[in-house]
Each structure stands twice: as structure tokens, then as C-alpha cells.
């Protein structure tokens, strides 16, 4: 049994705001005058459900105010990911929401990109950014998100997509994502987490997604499973997040293994690691223990992440070679 922390990994579904270390959150919330419950500051909070999660997560986001806060979040993210064997990450960031809140649309994203560049120099981890937009929020803000993504594409933004409460329909945003595709951006929507298979159909249909955040409820619809497997649309599966937010009863009860057996391109991510107390290495260990995966299977899971990423071909090749080397060691 090889050391999973050394398995080279691609991390595709992780929200920067939800990676803040508890100590950093405590410091930033105090500095910026945001009242954070004590258990959240200690990293010991247990969510009672999705609504509770949104409320708490909002407080965490509000604790990021100054350029140095966003920069620090990005640098510490790189340090923590490097410790988890992440060699390449596509980190989600709700840039326009922060920009509007702090009164400077560009500053949060520019600061994050600057921090990720520092993280690359210091910790050798390659990062790209996906700008997410909450389905609850305005179409106008979604356009501003797209504008940021286009302008900061050369600095490392590779995609856009919808996140947040899936009860809110995707349809009002259709034109935004048509324009995103025309601009050459990748599209990744959260779907099939809280809502059923129809939300996945919508995401890969009018939503234009070529990768799905979560998608765990796809198994309810065998025709859709066949289509998504055939089109090789990868799923970003985040077991601990699903359990913590109450979508799945337990890790052994998680559909990840059934999704793989159904022939789907399954990748492993953390979603909101600091808020649910996990790391990418811990997720690999959890599925190893729950499903009895051997090192070859875990290496396959990691390769699936590399292959599903939006990394340049040369980076994918190098990462897959590193995974081969881990297996050969
Ligand atoms: Zn997510």
C-alpha cells in the first residue's frame, strides 16, 4: 500500500473560499469585523444541511475583504494542496460576487491570481481558475463574471460555471454560457447534487457543460448514464462534502463506486475541504477504505482527474508519467 499523499493528483472541484484554514479565518474575520461562530473559527462546525451551509459559508466569504486576504488565501491553498500531493488544481472562485461586495470588481480575482503565481513559485503547484456564479444571483452578475473570465484568461482563468442552489433553474443564463463557449472558455456546472438527473441534462444541454460538478444523482436515469458515458463527460465527485451536507448517508453508502462501474469518467475532489475537515489525500484514503481499492485503482482515479482537467497536453502527459512513477515505486 503506497503513501497516498505522494500520489500525484489533479484537483478539479474546490472552492477557494472554502479552503481557508480555521486559523486564517479567525484572523481575517477579526481584522475585517465579521462575526464568526466560535466552532467555525476552530474548524469544528458540523452543518445541519444545505441552507445552514450556505449561511455559514457566506460568513467565511465575507471575511475576505482586502487584497492581501485574497492573496493569502491563494498562497495558503497552494501550500496545503502541495502537502496533499496535488500537482495541478482548477480552483473555483466567485470573483464577481466578491468584487461587487468590496467595491472593486477586479481586485479579488487579480489578488488570487497573484497569490496562485506565488504558490506556483514556492510550492511547485500549477493552478488554473474557474469563475463560478451562484444560480440564485442575477444574470447581470453572470455577465460580469464572464467579462472577468475573458479579461483574465491569459492570467489563468480557464472556465466558468454555475454553482449554488440547484433549485434555481439554469435557463435564464443560457446566453451567458453560449457567449462563454464562443469565447473559448470551458463550462462546468454544478448539477445532480441536490437536484435530480434532469439538472444534469439541463447542464450538458442548454448549459453547454462538458464536465459536471457532482452529478452523483445521474444513476437515477440509465439513459443519461449511457449518454454521459458515451460522451465522456467527467463527473467531479466529492464524497465528504456530499456526506457533510446531507446528500449521501455515509462514505460506504456513497455512489462513487457504482458511478465508476457504470462506465462513467469519475474524478475525486473535495469541494469545500476546510469547511468539512478533509483534504484530497483524505478523500483517496476514504474511498480506498470504503471500496477496497488497490493502488492501481487509486492511480486510475487520479489519472481520470488529469484526463478530465483543462490542463495543456504537455502538463497532462507529465502528470500521468508522475502517476506511473508512483505506481512503479
Ligand atoms: Zn462545489
Amino acid at each position: 500500500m503506497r503513501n497516498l499523499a505522494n500520489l500525484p493528483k489533479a484537483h478539479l472541484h474546490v472552492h477557494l473560499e472554502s479552503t481557508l484554514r480555521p486559523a486564517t479565518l479567525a484572523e481575517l474575520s477579526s481584522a475585517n469585523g465579521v462575526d464568526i461562530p466560535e466552532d467555525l473559527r476552530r474548524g469544528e462546525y458540523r452543518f445541519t444541511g444545505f441552507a445552514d451551509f450556505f449561511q455559514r459559508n457566506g460568513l467565511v466569504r465575507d471575511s475576505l475583504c482586502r487584497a492581501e486576504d485574497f492573496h493569502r488565501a491563494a498562497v495558503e491553498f497552494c501550500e496545503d494542496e502541495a502537502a496533499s500531493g496535488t500537482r495541478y488544481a482548477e480552483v473555483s472562485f466567485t470573483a464577481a460576487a466578491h468584487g461587487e461586495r468590496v467595491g472593486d470588481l477586479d481586485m479579488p480575482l487579480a489578488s488570487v491570481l497573484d497569490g496562485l503565481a506565488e504558490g506556483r513559485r514556492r510550492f511547485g503547484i500549477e493552478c488554473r481558475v474557474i469563475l463560478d456564479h451562484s444560480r440564485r444571483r442575477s444574470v447581470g452578475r453572470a455577465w460580469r463574471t464572464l467579462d472577468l473570465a475573458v479579461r483574465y484568461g491569459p492570467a489563468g482563468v480557464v472556465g466558468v460555471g454555475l454553482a449554488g442552489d440547484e433549485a434555481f433553474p439554469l435557463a435564464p443564463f443560457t446566453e451567458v454560457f453560449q457567449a462563454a463557449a464562443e469565447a473559448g472558455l470551458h463550462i462546468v456546472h454544478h448539477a445532480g447534487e441536490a437536484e435530480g438527473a434532469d439538472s444534469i441534462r439541463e447542464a450538458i444541454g442548454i448549459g453547454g457543460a462538458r464536465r459536471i460538478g457532482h452529478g452523483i444523482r445521474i444513476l437515477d436515469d440509465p439513459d443519461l448514464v449511457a449518454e454521459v458515458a458515451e460522451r465522456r463527460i467527467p463527473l467531479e465527485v466529492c464524497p465528504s462534502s456530499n456526506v457533510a451536507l446531507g446528500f449521501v448517508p455515509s462514505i460506504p453508502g456513497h455512489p462513487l463506486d457504482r458511478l465508476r462501474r457504470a462506465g462513467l469518467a469519475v474524478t475525486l475532489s473535495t469541494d469545500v475541504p476546510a469547511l468539512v475537515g478533509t483534504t484530497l489525500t483524505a478523500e483517496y484514503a476514504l474511498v480506498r477504505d470504503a471500496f477496497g481499492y488497490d493502488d492501481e485503482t487509486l492511480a486510475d482515479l487520479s489519472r481520470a482527474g488529469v484526463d478530465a482537467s483543462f490542463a495543456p497536453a504537455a502538463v497532462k502527459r507529465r502528470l500521468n508519467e508522475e502517476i506511473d512513477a508512483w505506481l512503479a515505486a
Side-chain angles (χ1 to χ4, degrees):
M1 216 158 61
R2 293 165 183 79
N3 183 348
L4 287 175
N6 299 335
L7 170 61
K9 304 171 190 73
H11 199 176
L12 306 183
H13 187 140
V14 56
H15 298 268
L16 182 66
E17 300 89 338
S18 309
T19 68
L20 266 194
R21 298 170 182 168
T24 302
L25 174 64
E27 221 178 286
L28 297 187
S29 59
S30 299
N32 293 314
V34 179
D35 197 15
I36 297 276
E38 196 47 43
D39 46 7
L40 199 56
R41 294 166 69 108
R42 285 199 308 267
E44 293 168 359
Y45 194 76
R46 293 289 165 266
F47 299 99
T48 59
F50 214 22
D52 181 46
F53 169 77
F54 278 132
Q55 200 262 335
R56 303 285 161 154
N57 197 35
L59 293 175
V60 175
R61 288 168 179 257
D62 289 349
S63 302
L64 293 161
C65 296
R66 304 160 300 181
E68 64 255 41
D69 303 341
F70 293 101
H71 183 274
R72 175 176 174 180
V75 173
E76 291 183 354
F77 167 74
C78 291
E79 183 171 19
D80 293 344
E81 287 297 317
S84 214
T86 301
R87 307 285 298 122
Y88 172 89
E90 285 167 9
V91 61
S92 290
F93 184 58
T94 321
H98 292 294
E100 289 176 17
R101 178 174 52 81
V102 302
D104 180 344
L105 191 64
D106 286 44
M107 179 277 275
L109 178 58
S111 305
V112 163
L113 288 165
D114 201 43
L116 295 176
E118 182 179 326
R120 179 187 179 169
R121 290 192 297 275
R122 287 175 55 190
F123 308 109
I125 164 173
E126 186 97 29
C127 293
R128 300 289 187 276
V129 176
I130 293 173
L131 299 188
D132 64 337
H133 173 76
S134 169
R135 290 164 178 265
R136 289 188 295 164
R137 308 299 179 191
S138 71
V139 175
R141 184 188 285 172
W143 282 112
R144 288 189 284 282
T145 299
L146 174 59
D147 174 61
L148 283 168
V150 169
R151 287 193 288 115
Y152 286 87
V157 177
V158 292
V160 290
L162 291 177
D165 191 340
E166 291 169 12
F168 289 79
L170 185 150
F173 302 99
T174 309
E175 283 180 30
V176 179
F177 292 104
Q178 278 168 356
E182 281 160 21
L185 288 160
H186 296 286
I187 298 171
V188 185
H189 299 309
H190 287 55
E193 177 193 24
E195 295 296 314
D198 283 349
S199 70
I200 301 172
R201 284 190 186 281
E202 185 185 51
I204 64 173
I206 59 169
R210 293 297 171 265
R211 204 170 75 201
I212 293 292
H214 300 292
I216 53 173
R217 293 187 59 185
I218 193 170
L219 294 170
D220 299 345
D221 185 337
D223 290 343
L224 185 61
V225 170
E227 181 187 340
V228 168
E230 159 81 25
R231 292 173 64 187
R232 302 305 293 162
I233 295 174
L235 307 182
E236 305 157 358
V237 178
C238 311
S240 289
S241 165
N242 296 153
V243 173
L245 298 187
F247 296 120
V248 168
S250 67
I251 300 290
H254 194 283
L256 179 134
D257 190 54
R258 281 177 282 138
L259 293 164
R260 293 188 84 242
R261 287 173 193 276
L264 294 159
V266 172
T267 69
L268 191 59
S269 282
T270 63
D271 194 13
V272 288
L275 291 180
V276 303
T278 193
T279 65
L280 192 51
T281 295
E283 294 301 295
Y284 275 81
L286 285 171
V287 300
R288 176 177 63 190
D289 295 347
F291 306 118
Y293 288 164
D294 58 17
D295 287 347
E296 280 76 12
T297 306
L298 294 160
D300 277 347
L301 200 51
S302 187
R303 281 195 202 97
V306 172
D307 295 340
S309 77
F310 305 130
V315 172
K316 289 188 181 187
R317 205 160 40 238
R318 175 168 53 77
L319 287 174
N320 279 325
E321 283 167 10
E322 289 180 16
I323 294 169
D324 291 343
W326 176 81
L327 209 46

